Amino acid sequence: MATIRDVAKHAGVSVATVSRMINDTGYVHEDTRKKIETAIKELHYTPNEVARSLYKRKSRLTGLLLPDIANPFFPELARGVEDEMQRNEFRIIFGNSDENKAKEKEYLQTFVQNNVVGIISSTNFPDSDMYRKLNIPVVFLDRTADNRPSVYSDGREGGRMAAREIADRGSRRVTVMRGPRHIRPAQDRYEGAVEALGERGIVFNVIQTSSFSFTDAGTWARELFERHPETDGVIASNDIVAAAVLHEALRLGKKVPEDVQIVGFDDIPLSRLLTPSLTTIRQPAYDMGKAAASLLIRLIENEIVDEPTIQMPVTFAERDTTRKAEIEWQK
Amino acid sequence: MATIRDVAKHAGVSVATVSRMINDTGYVHEDTRKKIETAIKELHYTPNEVARSLYKRKSRLTGLLLPDIANPFFPELARGVEDEMQRNEFRIIFGNSDENKAKEKEYLQTFVQNNVVGIISSTNFPDSDMYRKLNIPVVFLDRTADNRPSVYSDGREGGRMAAREIADRGSRRVTVMRGPRHIRPAQDRYEGAVEALGERGIVFNVIQTSSFSFTDAGTWARELFERHPETDGVIASNDIVAAAVLHEALRLGKKVPEDVQIVGFDDIPLSRLLTPSLTTIRQPAYDMGKAAASLLIRLIENEIVDEPTIQMPVTFAERDTTRKAEIEWQK
């Protein structure tokens, strides 16, 4: 591949002159300009992005840090980010933090070392120094902190909604699966659900879960029905846990939704393919990703952003693990 | 953040000298070396990776091109790649090709412009010029071509295995869901299945599918039972399609596995959470990703690689959408 040196040689000018023209950082005589253009064409030269980023101090690289791309909520989010970045000719360096602070810090360092111009992060440590110290724009995704740029959905309202809908459909012995304590959105959902159940005077049990992993989900589902066999309604911390609860309920010979109603959270694509298909609180993951990318690009380009925190609405995706609300009203 | 210029100024030496020392490209006097080391420590200077890549012509960035991270097979693959890269201090620029050649080409260009030292690609165009022209190592993942570096699983044997197991368990009116024609591994599976069914003299129908998307999967599942209601065994092109077939069969009141047996392909994490849990042909996605990263790193580091194509075995993950083989033998 041709280098800037080859172009300079071919055009009979200095490297600095070629650089000046390519990066538009100073005067280049019209005749010289033509010579360089010809050389660029003849040698099929593509300006090296790294070299440009050094001269111009601006790259088109951004960093994307997610907890775990193998959790089915995140690929949709990542896809939204990537589509918007790609449309605007930005690229993504990608990493999984595993919710591990040291790993996260290491990634942030290498993002900076690779001259990223902005970062999108689904971090559990938004208040950490490692973010405050960065002097490039950061957008928190699926997370928020203070008034800093972020895109997230209304977890508290989501939790309230799940509780309201399951109560309206007749569940009176509810078990709430409480998501990992260190994950803020999981706690928002939990608090919302507890709040709405309390308002209705509905007694509930809590199963504490500590991750969103597939393997653990089955364990908690078994624990749920062993400890609280009388449960007639489950508010799950996400759709994976809900799928495991559904699987376990059917295995125990329970009828869903007749004996037990289940409400998930997220609306991952597979939720509608479960049988019965999963009722869940939908987060607009793809749109959240797009919105975060779009917000970051505006910050990178120094646009004025009046409202840096974007809260997206959740919706009730009514499917077949809950009964029809009408049935309850007729009672 | 401190720059190389700050370090030079602080140490009272030239930028070139600091660069010589950091990049180990020439002699630096011991006294000068100490001064620079002190300056680096005092200023908390981290050598800029981009600057280093320019001087040394080596970055630690690699490119990863996948068809679509939102297809649940790929996050596991990506996670395997990323874990291995991270362990070796390489980073990933990530893109989705959508199996679109123009988009793929654009990504390869920006990978190169960002000085990646190697590329992992799940391309449908391994023979294309755009790969032949690259002068950095490329590893094909979930794809293969000629004798070029690649990591893939044995799709043909996977297809044969699915047909063998479903036949051994008594299905005699099989429908094969043929995966997208332009995706080579999907065709390998299809050919393997057809071959093994033929050897056993089992008559089969074919439903042609053109994508692996969630929304389309439901359409094909409905088409299957409308066109071939007598079907007593389904070999699906992947687990998403299998999940849709299972959902549709149950909706129609069919018993699975008594009336219809279903075998998927991939073993995505959610397969075991379906009810009945999905019998499938397992590809070791995470390990394939790891192996591809490991192979690419060896190529980047100019190690001698005797066997550049790595075929990984598939296995039969027997769960509850197939009957027990014993039952058949007892008949």
Side-chain angles (χ1 to χ4, degrees):
Chain A
M1 213 170 55
T3 66
I4 193 167
R5 266 170 255 280
D6 300 332
V7 172
K9 206 173 163 189
H10 198 89
V13 301
S14 72
V15 170
T17 308
V18 179
S19 158
R20 243 188 352 264
M21 179 177 129
I22 291 171
N23 296 293
D24 200 18
T25 48
Y27 175 77
V28 178
H29 190 279
E30 197 49 41
D31 292 350
T32 314
R33 198 172 278 275
K34 274 185 190 149
K35 276 186 210 157
I36 296 172
E37 273 168 12
T38 310
I40 285 176
K41 267 188 210 144
E42 287 180 9
L43 298 174
H44 302 290
Y45 170 71
T46 330
N48 180 301
E49 284 287 329
V50 171
R52 292 185 70 159
S53 88
L54 256 199
Y55 287 117
K56 302 178 89 178
R57 297 238 137 261
K58 275 275 184 188
S59 78
R60 306 290 287 181
L61 279 179
T62 59
L64 173 63
L65 198 65
L66 297 176
D68 180 9
I69 193 75
N71 169 338
F73 175 64
F74 291 110
E76 292 281 317
L77 216 58
R79 191 63 222 247
V81 171
E82 199 261 348
D83 282 0
E84 188 66 17
M85 288 296 186
Q86 204 258 351
R87 219 171 56 79
N88 290 279
E89 294 178 7
F90 283 90
R91 305 298 161 203
I92 295 168
I93 307 182
F94 165 71
N96 295 295
S97 71
D98 286 320
E99 289 161 353
N100 174 323
K101 201 168 181 175
K103 200 171 170 195
E104 188 164 334
K105 199 168 177 177
E106 198 189 314
Y107 257 115
L108 292 182
Q109 274 173 354
T110 63
F111 285 167
V112 169
Q113 284 165 7
N114 282 292
N115 275 4
V116 299
V117 285
I119 291 173
I120 294 177
S121 175
S122 300
T123 177
N124 291 326
F125 316 103
D127 294 312
S128 154
D129 252 14
M130 58 185 171
Y131 286 100
R132 297 198 181 277
K133 276 188 196 156
L134 292 171
N135 47 18
I136 50 171
V138 176
V139 171
F140 296 124
L141 177 54
D142 189 37
R143 303 288 190 271
T144 186
D146 308 335
N147 202 32
R148 283 186 289 158
S150 46
V151 177
Y152 59 103
S153 73
D154 190 349
R156 191 173 200 95
E157 172 54 22
R160 291 186 57 87
M161 196 180 271
R164 196 164 60 228
E165 300 291 348
I166 212 167
D168 283 356
R169 286 163 176 76
S171 289
R172 290 294 173 267
R173 293 176 302 275
V174 173
T175 299
V176 183
M177 314 285 281
R178 182 180 190 168
R181 280 182 200 274
H182 60 287
I183 301 180
R184 178 63 194 278
Q187 292 316 303
D188 289 347
R189 289 171 215 171
Y190 172 75
E191 285 164 21
V194 164
E195 199 175 77
L197 289 171
E199 286 167 13
R200 284 165 179 74
I202 292 176
V203 181
F204 59 91
N205 293 300
V206 176
I207 296 280
Q208 176 68 51
T209 70
S210 58
S211 81
F212 283 139
S213 92
F214 281 94
T215 29
D216 294 340
T219 313
W220 292 310
R222 283 187 294 280
E223 185 187 334
L224 184 156
F225 290 113
E226 275 163 22
R227 288 181 47 194
H228 310 297
E230 74 290 0
T231 296
D232 69 354
V234 179
I235 298 175
S237 42
N238 75 353
D239 285 353
I240 297 171
V241 174
V245 169
L246 172 60
H247 186 81
E248 179 65 8
L250 296 173
R251 198 186 67 82
L252 293 171
K254 292 177 189 284
K255 284 194 179 132
V256 178
E258 293 82 354
D259 302 338
V260 189
Q261 302 194 92
I262 302 168
V263 179
F265 208 100
D266 285 347
D267 198 18
I268 60 174
L270 230 122
S271 297
R272 64 184 65 223
L273 292 183
L274 296 172
T275 308
S277 57
L278 184 68
T279 296
T280 190
I281 306 299
R282 176 173 171 73
Q283 294 198 71
Y286 181 82
D287 290 337
M288 287 166 68
K290 270 190 85 155
S294 168
L295 176 58
L296 184 64
I297 292 169
R298 290 169 64 202
L299 293 169
I300 290 169
E301 292 175 348
N302 291 315
E303 282 183 37
I304 292 162
V305 176
D306 290 326
E307 189 42 82
T309 65
I310 302 174
Q311 190 188 59
M312 311 212 30
V314 294
T315 47
F316 182 58
E318 182 174 14
R319 300 204 185 100
D320 301 327
T321 54
T322 45
R323 302 190 282 271
K324 296 287 155 256
E326 289 77 15
I327 297 172
E328 189 51 25
W329 296 339
Q330 287 163 1
K331 272 189 192 167
Chain B
M1 214 168 58
T3 67
I4 193 167
R5 264 172 256 282
D6 299 332
V7 172
K9 206 172 163 190
H10 198 90
V13 302
S14 74
V15 170
T17 307
V18 180
S19 159
R20 247 191 346 267
M21 177 176 131
I22 292 172
N23 296 293
D24 200 19
T25 47
Y27 174 76
V28 178
H29 191 278
E30 197 49 39
D31 292 351
T32 314
R33 198 172 278 275
K34 274 184 191 152
K35 276 186 212 158
I36 295 172
E37 273 167 11
T38 309
I40 285 175
K41 266 186 211 145
E42 288 182 8
L43 298 174
H44 303 290
Y45 171 69
T46 331
N48 180 301
E49 283 288 328
V50 171
R52 292 185 70 159
S53 87
L54 256 198
Y55 287 117
K56 303 177 91 174
R57 299 237 135 262
K58 275 271 183 194
S59 79
R60 307 289 287 180
L61 279 179
T62 59
L64 172 63
L65 199 64
L66 297 176
D68 181 8
I69 193 74
N71 169 338
F73 175 64
F74 291 109
E76 292 282 316
L77 215 59
R79 192 62 222 248
V81 171
E82 197 261 347
D83 282 359
E84 188 65 16
M85 289 295 185
Q86 204 258 349
R87 220 171 55 81
N88 290 279
E89 295 178 8
F90 283 91
R91 304 298 161 202
I92 295 169
I93 307 183
F94 165 71
N96 295 295
S97 71
D98 286 320
E99 289 159 353
N100 174 324
K101 200 168 182 175
K103 201 173 167 193
E104 189 164 335
K105 199 166 177 180
E106 199 190 313
Y107 257 115
L108 293 182
Q109 273 173 355
T110 63
F111 285 168
V112 169
Q113 284 165 6
N114 283 292
N115 276 5
V116 299
V117 285
I119 291 173
I120 294 178
S121 175
S122 299
T123 178
N124 291 325
F125 317 101
D127 294 313
S128 153
D129 252 13
M130 57 184 171
Y131 286 100
R132 297 199 181 276
K133 275 187 196 159
L134 292 172
N135 46 17
I136 50 172
V138 176
V139 171
F140 296 124
L141 177 54
D142 187 37
R143 304 287 190 271
T144 187
D146 308 334
N147 202 33
R148 283 184 292 157
S150 45
V151 176
Y152 59 103
S153 74
D154 191 349
R156 192 177 199 93
E157 172 54 20
R160 291 185 57 86
M161 196 180 272
R164 194 163 64 227
E165 299 292 347
I166 211 166
D168 283 357
R169 285 162 176 76
S171 288
R172 290 295 171 266
R173 294 176 303 275
V174 172
T175 300
V176 183
M177 315 285 282
R178 180 179 191 171
R181 281 183 200 274
H182 59 286
I183 300 179
R184 179 65 192 279
Q187 292 315 302
D188 289 347
R189 290 170 214 171
Y190 171 75
E191 285 163 20
V194 164
E195 200 175 77
L197 289 171
E199 286 166 14
R200 284 163 180 74
I202 293 176
V203 181
F204 60 90
N205 293 302
V206 177
I207 296 280
Q208 176 69 51
T209 69
S210 56
S211 83
F212 282 138
S213 92
F214 279 94
T215 29
D216 294 341
T219 313
W220 293 311
R222 283 187 293 279
E223 184 185 336
L224 184 156
F225 290 112
E226 273 164 24
R227 286 181 48 194
H228 310 296
E230 75 289 358
T231 297
D232 69 353
V234 178
I235 298 176
S237 41
N238 75 353
D239 285 353
I240 297 172
V241 174
V245 169
L246 173 59
H247 187 82
E248 179 65 9
L250 297 174
R251 198 186 66 84
L252 294 171
K254 292 177 189 283
K255 284 196 179 129
V256 179
E258 294 81 355
D259 303 336
V260 189
Q261 301 192 96
I262 303 167
V263 179
F265 207 100
D266 286 346
D267 198 17
I268 59 174
L270 229 123
S271 298
R272 66 183 64 224
L273 290 184
L274 296 173
T275 308
S277 58
L278 185 69
T279 295
T280 190
I281 306 299
R282 176 173 171 73
Q283 294 197 72
Y286 181 83
D287 291 337
M288 288 166 68
K290 269 190 87 155
S294 170
L295 176 58
L296 183 64
I297 292 169
R298 290 169 65 201
L299 293 169
I300 289 169
E301 291 175 349
N302 291 315
E303 282 183 38
I304 292 163
V305 176
D306 290 327
E307 188 41 85
T309 65
I310 302 174
Q311 192 188 60
M312 315 222 13
V314 294
T315 47
F316 182 58
E318 181 173 15
R319 300 206 185 98
D320 301 326
T321 54
T322 45
R323 302 189 283 269
K324 296 288 157 254
E326 290 76 13
I327 295 173
E328 189 53 26
W329 296 339
Q330 288 164 0
K331 271 186 194 167

